[in-house]
Amino acid sequence: MRALLLNPDHPHLNGDVRIFTKLLQREHEAHRAFGDSSSLLGVHTEALEEEAVMAGLRAGTDPDEAIPAEPTAAFDLMAVLSGATGTQAVPVHRPPSLIESDGAFVDEALHQAFDDADTTMDVRRDPGDDTFLSLVPPKDLIGRMKALPRTYLVEQRVAERLKLTGNETLANAQLDKARETTDSGWPDVGFLAPLHPFGDWLVDKVLATVGRNEAPIIVADVDAPVFCVQGMYSNGRGHPQLVEWMAVTEHLGTPVIADLFEVLQRANVDADMANPGTPIDVEVLQDQLGDVIEQVRGELEVRRDAYEAQLTERLAEPQVRLDAWQMRSEALAMDLVEHRRRDRQKVIAAVRSDTAQLIESMRTQGDPLIRVLAVLVGPNHR
């Protein structure tokens, strides 16, 4: 807004103090209410803000309406970090599952990971909500929950008894109830979301029951054995950077690598599957494992090269912004007195180095981690 005030280039705006006063007032109100006026317009760069406001004023929009009183869309942190506002829809993918719901997974996982979870953790249920779960958390689960707000953990005495529900409607009702009361701002029953520490802890407990270098064999609608494999590259910060889910099989003696989730759907892998309990010749599958791993490794190298080429293009823009920032900062530092200029140049150099390292750390590094998740075999496989 101040850029428009200092450089009014529109004939209907030149010298109109009333319009500029209205715009500055609305911007000030936005900063007080939302912390950032860019959220009102849904854009996060000065150029786009100026363009949006000028377009409205040129069209004869009243200054009070040129900038909305409230945000037009939810705050987008990633748009701010990337320097622009994205408008593309985020794809949502729900892979096939052997478990029909999160609540069913909890029941199966507790049964798999513990001899008697109901007694060990004093598990309690609610007949009116089949997704409700109340238990005394073990010490290792209490440690996981330190990621949750401390006020929530203390006020609700979560370390003494954890209460969760997988029913989103009931969880929201509990949240609304907590907001309306003055006793506490936290609901006494939490929502069992997929990212809740309890879910992560339970997954690790189940994985601990699977032996090293072991994978389940699943009888499904396939003509030949299908190896379900996950391949993953990490970046310089140790975070997963490139994750590929592949199904490896043979067709007429030729290896075929396909999308894992598509193959699982075609093979009718879902929660309604039955385990026939038929004996399986494991040695035949073990003999194929070495070749499968080599095929996956080669495919991962090809996909990594393609990914790195795209990543190099994406990282070019942050590098350009960093170079431009350094040039502007060094130019401004030249106007400072000598000792302050030296201090400022040290700060610029440190920021430049840290940011350059951060950009470089986004690239994949090292060898891939390859895991065989399961093997699908046909009903007649012996």
Side-chain angles (χ1 to χ4, degrees):
M1 304 313 162
R2 285 163 175 78
L4 291 175
L5 179 60
L6 295 174
N7 300 286
D9 59 354
H10 192 273
H12 297 302
L13 299 181
N14 193 12
D16 195 332
V17 178
R18 181 186 66 86
I19 292 180
F20 290 126
T21 301
K22 288 287 188 181
L23 294 178
L24 289 174
Q25 286 177 346
R26 183 57 59 85
E27 182 183 33
H28 178 63
E29 293 171 358
H31 276 285
R32 288 197 306 170
F34 308 107
D36 179 20
S37 62
S38 59
S39 62
L40 295 180
L41 297 169
V43 295
H44 302 279
T45 66
E46 294 87 346
L48 291 177
E49 281 188 23
E50 181 177 344
E51 180 180 341
V53 174
M54 289 299 295
L57 296 178
R58 287 192 180 100
T61 304
D62 186 273
D64 285 329
E65 299 177 1
I67 304 179
E70 296 182 358
T72 56
F75 177 70
D76 189 349
L77 175 61
M78 294 309 297
V80 177
L81 295 178
S82 64
T85 301
T87 58
Q88 299 83 3
V90 177
V92 178
H93 178 70
R94 182 175 294 276
S97 174
L98 294 175
I99 308 296
E100 60 184 7
S101 66
D102 292 339
F105 167 75
V106 169
D107 293 338
E108 291 289 343
L110 289 174
H111 177 73
Q112 173 73 16
F114 299 92
D115 293 333
D116 187 1
D118 288 358
T119 301
T120 304
M121 293 180 286
D122 189 20
V123 177
R124 301 175 187 175
R125 309 282 182 172
D126 183 353
D129 177 11
D130 57 1
T131 67
F132 176 82
L133 185 71
S134 172
L135 55 86
V136 177
K139 290 184 179 180
D140 56 342
L141 175 55
I142 294 175
R144 292 286 189 98
M145 290 191 297
K146 289 181 179 179
L148 299 176
R150 178 172 176 78
T151 54
Y152 163 69
L153 298 176
V154 174
E155 289 182 8
Q156 298 301 326
R157 296 181 170 180
V158 175
E160 299 177 16
R161 178 162 291 276
L162 175 64
K163 301 176 184 178
L164 297 170
T165 178
N167 189 314
E168 187 173 356
T169 301
L170 294 179
N172 285 330
Q174 289 288 338
L175 183 58
D176 292 338
K177 179 181 177 182
R179 288 170 175 167
E180 295 172 356
T181 182
T182 58
D183 297 335
S184 171
W186 299 104
D188 58 355
V189 178
F191 179 51
L192 183 57
L195 297 181
H196 194 283
F198 174 73
D200 289 339
W201 171 79
L202 201 52
V203 168
D204 288 342
K205 285 294 184 182
V206 173
L207 291 177
T209 65
V210 180
R212 183 177 176 82
N213 296 325
E214 291 184 358
I217 300 174
I218 303 174
V219 178
D221 295 337
V222 294
D223 298 326
V226 177
F227 290 80
C228 306
V229 183
Q230 180 200 59
M232 181 180 68
Y233 279 102
S234 297
N235 60 24
R237 307 184 70 186
H239 299 160
Q241 181 79 356
L242 176 62
V243 181
E244 298 288 341
W245 306 82
M246 294 174 279
V248 184
T249 186
E250 284 191 3
H251 180 67
L252 300 177
T254 302
V256 177
I257 298 179
D259 179 81
L260 175 59
F261 300 126
E262 294 179 357
V263 171
L264 291 176
Q265 289 179 336
R266 290 198 299 267
N268 295 318
V269 175
D270 55 32
D272 295 328
M273 295 182 68
N275 182 0
T278 55
I280 303 295
D281 187 353
V282 179
E283 292 185 2
V284 174
L285 300 175
Q286 289 176 332
D287 292 340
Q288 302 177 41
L289 190 57
D291 292 338
V292 168
I293 297 300
E294 289 305 313
Q295 293 161 12
V296 169
R297 192 182 304 277
E299 179 67 19
L300 283 173
E301 291 178 358
V302 173
R303 298 189 184 189
R304 177 187 182 179
D305 292 342
Y307 176 82
E308 282 293 315
Q310 297 176 0
L311 183 62
T312 298
E313 295 180 3
R314 292 201 298 269
L315 293 180
E317 184 178 350
Q319 185 64 52
V320 169
R321 292 203 303 270
L322 176 60
D323 294 340
W325 172 85
Q326 182 181 15
M327 291 180 61
R328 292 195 304 269
S329 299
E330 290 177 346
L332 292 172
M334 296 304 295
D335 296 332
L336 302 175
V337 295
E338 184 177 355
H339 72 279
R340 293 190 62 189
R341 182 171 65 249
R342 287 197 303 267
D343 292 343
R344 182 58 182 166
Q345 288 173 339
K346 289 180 181 179
V347 172
I348 294 172
V351 172
R352 162 81 190 195
S353 176
D354 292 344
T355 307
Q357 291 179 14
L358 177 61
I359 294 174
E360 187 62 27
S361 70
M362 293 297 101
R363 300 183 185 278
T364 56
Q365 296 185 9
D367 295 326
L369 171 66
I370 300 175
R371 296 193 295 183
V372 177
L373 307 175
V375 182
L376 308 183
V377 298
N380 298 321
H381 180 86
R382 295 292 186 270

